[in-house]
Amino acid sequence: MSKRTVIVAIVVGCILLAVANVSLWATHSLFNPERFGALVAEGLQSDQATQAIATGVVDHLLADHPAGRAVAGSLAEELLATLLQHPLLTTVVEKVAAGANLVLTTDLQDIVPMDLQKIVPYVVGVIYAIDPDLAEQISAELTSSPLAILSPNELPNLRRASRVLPWFWPLAGLGAVGLFVAAIRWGPNRAKSMVYVGTGIAIIGGLMLLFVPAIRSASTGAITTSMGRIVVGEVVDTLLRGYAIQDVLLIIAGIVLVIEGRRRLADSEVISEDQGETTQ
């Protein structure tokens, strides 16, 4: 295998590695309902997300009652933010996660609901302690329609990707490993080929890590509400954590290969010098 062929094999291998990296993360974190639900729940129960949801719920209930919002709003928000992080409302969070997963990966055209029936009593209870008449009026006005954190057109459409990507990572991963092994084993200089492979892997990991802020920005760019942007931002950060870890592991693996390749280069140079001295 010539040096040029080695470089081509490494470049193609790095491209396949990038595809495998993304598809592995997506398969494990996005298209696995249990994992996705756990990550979404973690993101939704973060401090910033729960505060945003609490504010949204209180605003929804007291939209037509500014005086009540001014008097009871802050206390109701604080109580809700605390409750949203409590296991008592875990089922609500799981329902939101399940709804989001269906919207992301199926043809279901529905909203991502926050079941007000489980949350409203706490808000109404706070308002009742301050103004019983207002609390009764709000309870009478509430309809069965849930509070929509997001609408379907504000979520990315991943239905096709959910069917295709799970097949990509094993095939692309095996292809990348095969090309890297071939470049090292049949290249003109195994140690140098190892350095080249390691450098390529580390560069790919670093470049993909740089995309994390861009992915977060793209995920929240189409969302029109402040609550939606905050909540989705927190969830995306949680989902991208595994992706970032994979990128860091690629960087580490690449650096290890570079170090090992340089060590072998140094050893081969020492052996060459020893052989030269022996010949003389």
Side-chain angles (χ1 to χ4, degrees), residues 151-172:
S151 61
N153 60 351
E154 291 178 320
L155 284 170
N157 188 332
L158 301 179
R159 291 161 197 149
R160 291 184 179 178
S162 67
R163 300 186 185 100
V164 176
L165 286 183
W167 296 93
F168 272 24
W169 73 263
L171 297 176

Side-chain angles (χ1 to χ4, degrees), residues 1-35:
M1 185 180 287
S2 66
K3 183 178 180 180
R4 182 177 180 178
T5 305
V6 167
I7 293 174
V8 171
I10 293 173
V11 170
V12 175
C14 286
I15 294 172
L16 291 176
L17 182 63
V19 173
N21 187 46
V22 172
S23 60
L24 175 61
W25 164 75
T27 301
H28 181 62
S29 298
L30 294 184
F31 308 138
N32 182 321
E34 293 182 1
R35 175 68 175 166

Side-chain angles (χ1 to χ4, degrees), residues 21-150:
N21 187 46
V22 172
S23 60
L24 175 61
W25 164 75
T27 301
H28 181 62
S29 298
L30 294 184
F31 308 138
N32 182 321
E34 293 182 1
R35 175 68 175 166
F36 180 85
L39 292 173
V40 169
E42 181 181 342
L44 285 175
Q45 291 186 304
S46 67
D47 292 339
Q48 289 184 330
T50 52
Q51 184 59 53
I53 293 171
T55 301
V57 171
V58 173
D59 287 344
H60 178 78
L61 295 179
L62 299 177
D64 298 326
H65 308 282
R69 180 70 172 87
V71 174
S74 297
L75 181 59
E77 286 180 18
E78 183 178 351
L79 176 62
L80 273 182
T82 302
L83 287 172
L84 285 169
Q85 294 179 329
H86 194 277
L88 179 66
L89 291 180
T90 299
T91 54
V92 179
V93 176
E94 290 176 349
K95 184 175 181 180
V96 174
N101 186 262
L102 289 173
V103 173
L104 283 168
T105 60
T106 71
D107 292 328
L108 179 66
Q109 293 297 313
D110 201 354
I111 60 175
V112 183
M114 173 65 71
D115 189 355
L116 289 179
Q117 300 306 317
K118 297 181 184 296
I119 295 177
V120 167
Y122 300 106
V123 182
V124 174
V126 173
I127 299 171
Y128 187 86
I130 300 171
D131 189 339
D133 293 335
L134 177 60
E136 292 178 4
Q137 183 180 354
I138 291 171
S139 297
E141 291 174 355
L142 287 174
T143 64
S144 59
S145 60
L147 170 64
I149 294 178
L150 296 170

